[in-house]
Amino acid sequence: MSIILVFIGVLLSSTALDFTGAQSVGVCYGGNGNNLPTKQAVIDLYKSKRIGKIRIYNPDQGALQALKNSNIEVILGIPNDVLKSLTNAQAATDWVNKNVKPYYPSVKIKYIAVGNEIHANSPEASSVLSALQNIQKAISSSNLVQIKVSTAIDTTLIGKSYPPNDGAFSDGSVGYIRPIVNFLVSNGSPLLANVYPYFSYVNNQQSIGLDYALFTKQGKNEVGYQNLFDAILDSIYAALEKVGGSNVKIVVSESGWPSEGGTAASAGNAGTYYGNLIKHAKGGTPKRPNGPIETYLFAMFDENQKPGPEIERHFGIFRPDKSPKYQLSFN
């Protein structure tokens, strides 16, 4: 999750229920803490709260075992430090054979996220396209065509974001992102994007109101937007159009608000943001009015070992003891 401008279905028991299409909102599950519940207890919490989508950041075998027959849809992450090895086609095949084939379809892997928030000048940048292609070939040759292969970006790749219709990737990012977008177009895959109105607001308080960031603004602004989330998302859609990705769908692979540790970080603001985002995701944006917006809240738990500023450890919608921080409904 980047600190700059910048992303949950249905079970009451261990018996799988069918809730296909019932929800557009999931929750990211990060394990960067020393006080978190067991993997099985976490997945049981997803079930009991009727959270039908999950994002995990690596192929954790315990989490994947717990997800079997849960009917929870999964974004399965490939960590950034693995990407270079996956530029070797055999290594990519081995990765799929180890981390996908033993679990699918009893684990409903929907997307594979090849890297997270890699920038054009990152050491991993030169590996992303090749890793995407090799994982896609391994998926296709295994006849796992329902699984879509993508990568997760943050909004630092966007050079211009306002007005949203003028959204464009930065000059330094275009050469990196264009071939990735071509890959997504060729394979009918979405772009995963981590969208954080919180950071946009904190970094631009003179021009952005808190109500605009929290979905509580009354009426639209001068360019027809009522909230910052839609403005950011549509700026990415506009940027995609300019690099040949007009038909690429965006999945919001992270979005959240911290409950303490920094400017405007409070339980009140965070609860308002998450609750309003869950409702808002049922619809669309001005540029893409036909919803819902598939969105993954960040994150399931406060993670006390997450590096970075204090706010990074306070994005959870649950405490480590599994008690809810906010009254949210995923029905």
Side-chain angles (χ1 to χ4, degrees):
M1 183 178 59
S2 182
I3 308 269
I4 317 216
L5 278 184
V6 191
F7 306 121
I8 317 185
V10 188
L11 287 175
L12 294 176
S13 70
S14 59
T15 307
L17 304 176
D18 182 16
F19 47 86
T20 306
Q23 293 174 309
S24 57
V25 176
V27 181
C28 301
Y29 168 37
N32 220 331
N34 61 7
N35 57 353
L36 299 178
T38 65
K39 306 296 191 321
Q40 187 62 59
V42 171
I43 303 309
D44 288 344
L45 184 61
Y46 273 75
K47 294 175 185 177
S48 69
K49 298 300 180 181
R50 303 171 77 85
I51 301 171
K53 299 176 189 286
I54 188 172
R55 179 181 179 186
I56 59 176
Y57 291 85
N58 60 78
D60 182 279
Q61 307 301 303
L64 289 168
Q65 286 289 349
L67 282 162
K68 281 187 173 181
N69 302 312
S70 67
N71 218 30
I72 295 172
E73 293 182 337
V74 180
I75 299 180
L76 175 60
I78 300 180
N80 294 356
D81 60 6
V82 176
L83 299 190
K84 188 174 182 181
S85 68
L86 300 180
T87 60
N88 176 283
Q90 185 57 52
T93 298
D94 292 345
W95 193 94
V96 169
N97 287 341
K98 178 183 177 183
N99 299 306
V100 178
K101 289 176 78 171
Y103 300 102
Y104 189 85
S106 62
V107 176
K108 292 184 70 172
I109 299 167
K110 187 175 186 182
Y111 308 119
I112 295 176
V114 180
N116 184 55
E117 296 187 342
I118 293 169
H119 302 152
N121 57 358
S122 300
E124 303 92 347
S126 60
S127 301
V128 176
L129 182 62
S130 179
L132 283 166
Q133 292 167 334
N134 286 338
I135 291 290
Q136 180 66 58
K137 286 173 190 167
I139 287 291
S140 299
S141 65
S142 297
N143 204 28
L144 304 172
V145 291
Q146 298 90 340
I147 299 174
K148 296 299 181 181
V149 180
S150 187
T151 189
I153 67 164
D154 65 26
T155 52
T156 61
L157 299 186
I158 302 296
K160 181 173 185 181
S161 61
Y162 195 85
N165 261 340
D166 291 347
F169 290 108
S170 68
D171 291 344
S173 298
V174 169
Y176 164 68
I177 199 70
R178 190 190 298 271
I180 292 172
V181 173
N182 290 342
F183 166 87
L184 300 176
V185 171
S186 297
N187 291 284
S189 293
L191 176 67
L192 308 179
N194 300 345
V195 174
Y196 282 94
Y198 173 77
F199 293 118
S200 299
Y201 164 72
V202 167
N203 292 322
N204 298 273
Q205 293 177 64
Q206 291 182 326
S207 57
I208 296 175
L210 182 61
D211 57 347
Y212 187 59
L214 293 175
F215 301 96
T216 57
K217 175 181 170 60
Q218 300 300 306
K220 297 177 180 178
N221 65 10
E222 67 279 4
V223 292
Y225 282 79
Q226 196 164 352
N227 66 80
L228 184 53
F229 179 88
D230 281 354
I232 296 171
L233 191 51
D234 277 355
S235 74
I236 307 173
Y237 271 119
L240 281 172
E241 290 171 357
K242 295 175 178 66
V243 291
S246 299
N247 295 322
V248 174
K249 172 191 164 187
I250 296 171
V251 172
V252 179
S253 44
E254 289 181 12
S255 193
W257 196 286
S259 59
E260 60 180 279
T263 303
S266 68
N269 285 345
T272 297
Y273 181 78
Y274 286 119
N276 285 338
L277 177 56
I278 290 169
K279 289 183 219 160
H280 183 73
K282 295 174 183 176
T285 70
K287 197 168 182 60
R288 295 288 187 275
N290 295 326
I293 305 164
E294 187 174 352
T295 302
Y296 292 75
L297 308 186
F298 188 90
M300 195 66 168
F301 299 104
D302 286 342
E303 298 172 61
N304 66 355
Q305 294 179 314
K306 202 166 192 299
E310 184 63 25
I311 51 165
E312 292 288 335
R313 293 176 282 284
H314 300 282
F315 274 87
I317 61 172
F318 290 93
R319 301 178 186 91
D321 66 2
K322 301 188 289 185
S323 63
K325 284 165 70 176
Y326 320 109
Q327 296 304 310
L328 304 176
S329 172
F330 294 95
N331 293 335

